[in-house]
Amino acid sequence: MAKINSDRLITSVDVGTTKICVFVARQLDDDRLEVIGIGKSPSDGLKKGVVVDVARTVHSIRAAIKEAELMAGIDILTASVGIAGAHISSRNSHGVVAIKRGEITKEDVQNALNAARAIPIAEGEQILHVLSQYFIIDGKDRVLDPIGMHGIRLEVQAHIILGAIASVQNLVKCCQAAGIQVNDIVLEPLASAEAVLSPDEKELGVAVLDIGGGTSDLAIYQQSSIRHTMVLPVAGNHFTNDLAIGLRTTIADAERVKVLHGTAYKKGLKQDDLVEVEMVQGGKKHIIQLTDLAKILEPRARELLSIVHEEVISKHLQSFMATGLVITGGGSLLHGMQEVAQEIFGVPVRIGNPRIEFDLPQSLHNPMYATGYGLLLYTLKKKHNSAMNNLNSPLMTRVFDRMKSWVLDFF
């Protein structure tokens, strides 16, 4: 295996409650990449997106990394890592700065964002992301990118995402113990949105709900910027546990029945077939009907989606969902989720599959891979923006000016 020493390689680690996914991709250009390796491992040691057993989490991450290394033919040294969990919170903030030179520079934008991040933070919390929503120059119209414009006063409206310091440190510690250095910690709904949303949806207004194993993550976009985020500790594992209790079966068999036969929309059943499930005691089996599954799964689906809908209503976010709702993650594969969501939200709803151009032999066009692939896209976008900022830095500007002067003098 060759060491990763190329700037054209990007690695992501999706540390989920039910599975660990590691993606390795080769950068083709500024906005395209090709997945060359993927590793998967059952997640053992997390609960609701938070590490509860370091040793078991390290073992799961290491197993997924080894599988990805073998497929890609390289050693993984660094990666971007996704984070979620009930400890995640967010708020909007406002920052104002005076413009020093009349023309707005990257430094002025950064100063405005620094002013916005000066908010009271509870003990044990840290800021994970400061994301600009829009800028205002001299109290006039809103702009998305003020660099190069003229003015004397710059305001920014920013969305700030916070997380528990202990949870972040535990996640980083597990990745380091598994043999990789963490380049960046990315909120998972931001990554999922990169994978499944189109530019038009982000511009016009859309909500994306990633239903994972331990948490459900909501992100709302409009005018190509983030408007709201929320992490809800109700997700796919709750459906499985409900089935295990309601049918008095094992958790493993409840998961199997949910994946193969489960439905969250009783009206959508065309015929009431019979399903065999294993009893939790003695290994005996009994027969149930599909309507029995729907009676257990549909109330949980309606509860989850109603909580999200109440969040949208209470925060007055309906106008930001002009193009509707996109459901992704493994939980979106439960039959009937789309129909239930349409009834509750009253907007167009679709299932979000990752928009992958160059696929591996095994298909990745599946909602359960949205976060892992989205982490790659998020890292690529951030890398491109950083490169552009470096080109526009004062130092590089002076270098290009000197080169231009030298060429003019020479000729």
Side-chain angles (χ1 to χ4, degrees):
M1 291 186 182
K3 296 290 184 182
I4 291 187
N5 54 13
S6 172
D7 292 337
R8 312 298 291 181
L9 292 175
I10 301 174
T11 304
S12 69
V13 180
D14 172 18
V15 184
T17 303
T18 57
K19 72 179 186 314
I20 309 290
C21 267
V22 177
F23 284 83
V24 182
R26 179 189 297 112
Q27 181 181 347
L28 301 176
D29 50 39
D30 291 338
D31 57 1
R32 293 192 312 151
L33 45 79
E34 177 186 11
V35 178
I36 60 174
I38 179 173
K40 292 184 294 181
S41 173
S43 183
D44 192 13
L46 285 94
K47 187 174 182 180
K48 295 183 179 179
V50 176
V51 175
V52 294
D53 190 316
V54 172
R56 289 157 67 184
T57 302
V58 170
H59 177 76
S60 298
I61 295 174
R62 189 176 288 138
I65 289 173
K66 286 183 177 178
E67 186 177 328
E69 286 178 334
L70 287 172
M71 183 175 290
I74 50 96
D75 280 343
I76 296 175
L77 302 179
T78 62
S80 296
V81 179
I83 190 170
H87 63 96
I88 299 293
S89 62
S90 65
R91 67 186 76 169
N92 291 329
S93 181
H94 188 73
V96 183
V97 294
I99 300 170
K100 298 177 181 178
R101 303 177 186 85
E103 181 177 324
I104 300 172
T105 64
K106 178 178 174 292
E107 182 182 359
D108 294 319
V109 171
Q110 190 58 53
N111 289 338
L113 290 172
N114 289 339
R117 70 183 293 150
I119 59 174
I121 301 175
E123 185 178 357
E125 281 191 333
Q126 71 179 73
I127 293 177
L128 298 177
H129 297 282
V130 179
L131 306 169
S132 63
Q133 295 177 328
Y134 57 84
F135 295 87
I136 299 176
I137 303 173
D138 297 342
K140 297 181 181 178
D141 294 337
R142 298 179 180 182
V143 297
L144 296 180
D145 185 4
I147 295 177
M149 297 183 179
H150 287 264
I152 59 174
R153 183 170 180 266
L154 179 65
E155 302 174 57
V156 63
Q157 183 72 16
H159 188 69
I160 299 179
I161 298 169
L162 305 101
I165 295 175
S167 297
V168 175
Q169 290 178 340
N170 287 336
L171 181 60
V172 172
K173 179 181 178 181
C174 289
C175 291
Q176 291 175 339
I180 58 173
Q181 190 68 31
V182 177
N183 280 340
D184 195 12
I185 295 286
V186 181
L187 184 66
E188 292 191 348
L190 300 180
S192 300
E194 288 296 325
V196 303
L197 298 182
S198 70
D200 285 342
E201 285 176 324
K202 284 186 177 182
E203 176 65 28
L204 297 173
V206 66
V208 57
L209 178 64
D210 185 343
I211 306 175
T215 63
S216 295
D217 310 321
L218 174 71
I220 298 179
Y221 286 82
Q222 193 183 56
Q223 294 181 349
S224 301
S225 61
I226 190 74
R227 298 295 174 176
H228 185 72
T229 54
M230 180 186 73
V231 176
L232 181 68
V234 179
N237 285 351
H238 291 81
F239 291 84
T240 303
N241 291 336
D242 289 347
L243 282 180
I245 294 170
L247 301 178
R248 293 186 292 278
T249 184
T250 62
I251 292 178
D253 208 44
E255 177 69 19
R256 179 189 67 84
V257 171
K258 181 188 76 172
V259 172
L260 295 178
H261 309 287
T263 179
Y265 193 61
K266 187 178 178 182
K267 295 179 184 177
L269 284 175
K270 295 180 180 179
Q271 54 186 14
D272 197 5
D273 293 334
L274 300 178
V275 179
E276 188 178 66
V277 298
E278 183 180 338
M279 297 291 288
V280 70
Q281 295 177 342
K284 296 181 180 179
K285 296 186 177 181
H286 68 128
I287 305 298
I288 62 167
Q289 296 176 312
L290 291 182
T291 51
D292 295 329
L293 297 179
K295 288 177 183 177
I296 297 172
L297 295 174
E298 186 168 346
R300 177 65 80 175
R302 291 188 176 276
E303 177 199 27
L304 166 60
L305 294 168
S306 294
I307 293 174
V308 177
H309 185 242
E310 288 172 9
E311 175 80 2
V312 171
I313 298 298
S314 65
K315 298 292 173 62
H316 307 290
L317 301 170
Q318 304 97 307
S319 61
F320 296 138
M321 297 175 60
T323 62
L325 172 67
V326 178
I327 304 178
T328 190
S332 68
L333 296 175
L334 180 62
H335 185 267
M337 287 295 290
Q338 184 175 358
E339 290 79 4
V340 174
Q342 284 176 335
E343 282 190 4
I344 292 175
F345 284 86
V347 298
V349 179
R350 71 174 178 88
I351 302 300
N353 294 305
R355 296 174 289 107
I356 299 177
E357 288 188 55
F358 302 93
D359 208 347
L360 287 171
Q362 60 189 95
S363 178
L364 299 180
H365 295 272
N366 188 307
M368 69 174 63
Y369 298 123
T371 301
Y373 185 68
L375 284 168
L376 293 176
L377 296 176
Y378 189 93
T379 304
L380 179 64
K381 184 177 179 180
K382 189 173 181 179
K383 183 179 176 181
H384 174 65
N385 291 339
S386 177
M388 294 302 295
N389 288 334
N390 289 336
L391 285 175
N392 294 326
S393 67
L395 175 60
M396 292 303 297
T397 301
R398 289 197 298 271
V399 170
F400 286 129
D401 286 344
R402 289 180 182 178
M403 290 176 63
K404 180 180 178 182
S405 176
W406 179 84
V407 171
L408 289 173
D409 291 343
F410 181 80
F411 287 103

